[in-house]
Amino acid sequence: MNPFTSRTRISTRVRNHETAVLKVNDAYGNPIELAAVMVWKVRDTAQATFEVDDYSDFVAIQTEAAVRHIAIEYPYDSHDEGGLSLRGNAEEITEKLVLELSARVEAAGVQIIESRFTHLAYAPRSPRRCSSGSRPVRSWRPGGRSSTARWAWSRRRSPGSPSRTSWSWTTNAKRPWSPTCWWCSAGTGRRSRC
């Protein structure tokens, strides 16, 4: 196809793109939800036409990738005094987001004017994950025949089962079901209830 015989109209007006609410883990591994809006325009129509298949889809995909990348680089709340966080240092983080977006969409001839977070919150816990029932649950049991502490691995029944008991492999007997979920308290050192 001869590029001089066909015409494609590309608007150089200012546009915006808003991402959907994305669920990602921050730098500390906490699940968060965030969404961003980006203001952009086509700077070079030749690059937008010939360098990428569809420049608006390209911008949308690169925006989501950049927002995810920024979210995993910084924590939601910083425990260090000099550290940047998504919630506490929104201006600095959005400036870095604009720089990263500009580098990503430069090949398509697109200019990023501004970018802001529109939604930023901790993600709610998923009750389905915590009550799956077939996953081994770690429970700490002191005593027994020796005075040393030992780890007991037990299998929890599913929440809809008639008897809410679990089988203990160390004592070879049934014990009452515990609502404590090891999955949610993993790595924190604290036991939490789902």
Side-chain angles (χ1 to χ4, degrees):
M1 179 175 177
N2 189 355
F4 299 113
T5 60
S6 66
R7 276 194 174 170
T8 304
R9 290 190 176 260
I10 295 179
S11 175
T12 56
R13 292 181 179 174
V14 175
R15 305 175 191 193
N16 62 2
H17 173 73
E18 185 172 3
T19 64
V21 176
L22 305 172
K23 293 182 181 180
V24 295
N25 290 338
D26 68 351
Y28 293 153
N30 298 321
I32 60 171
E33 292 179 341
L34 78 155
V37 65
M38 175 183 83
V39 180
W40 62 282
K41 71 176 188 174
V42 175
R43 176 182 40 82
D44 188 357
T45 57
Q47 277 186 321
T49 304
F50 299 117
E51 291 293 324
V52 293
D53 287 336
D54 186 5
Y55 65 93
S56 59
D57 286 343
F58 181 78
V59 169
I61 291 169
Q62 293 302 320
T63 300
E64 183 176 332
V67 169
R68 285 184 184 275
H69 185 255
I70 287 290
I72 63 172
E73 275 191 14
Y74 299 101
Y76 181 81
D77 283 322
S78 180
H79 301 296
D80 304 330
E81 289 184 23
L84 293 177
S85 68
L86 294 169
R87 191 175 74 152
N89 306 93
E91 293 294 323
E92 292 90 351
I93 301 296
T94 54
E95 287 175 11
K96 292 184 183 212
L97 180 61
V98 167
L99 292 175
E100 184 168 344
L101 279 169
S102 297
R104 286 177 181 259
V105 297
E106 183 180 6
V110 172
Q111 176 187 359
I112 305 298
I113 298 170
E114 182 184 13
S115 180
R116 296 274 176 219
F117 290 120
T118 57
H119 178 78
L120 182 62
Y122 279 113
R125 285 191 175 162
S126 172
R128 184 182 311 161
R129 174 192 277 178
C130 298
S131 61
S132 65
S134 63
R135 183 183 332 97
V137 176
R138 190 187 313 181
S139 61
W140 182 76
R141 293 182 159 231
R145 292 187 187 140
S146 65
S147 61
T148 60
R150 60 187 165 154
W151 288 101
W153 288 92
S154 61
R155 194 184 77 204
R156 186 184 347 162
R157 289 179 169 236
S158 61
S161 65
S163 172
R164 295 184 59 99
T165 59
S166 62
W167 189 264
S168 173
W169 297 102
T170 57
T171 61
N172 206 14
K174 286 192 172 185
R175 63 183 176 84
W177 177 80
S178 171
T180 304
C181 176
W182 178 79
W183 184 269
C184 292
S185 60
T188 61
R190 289 180 271 141
R191 296 178 69 131
S192 65
R193 296 191 183 267
C194 297

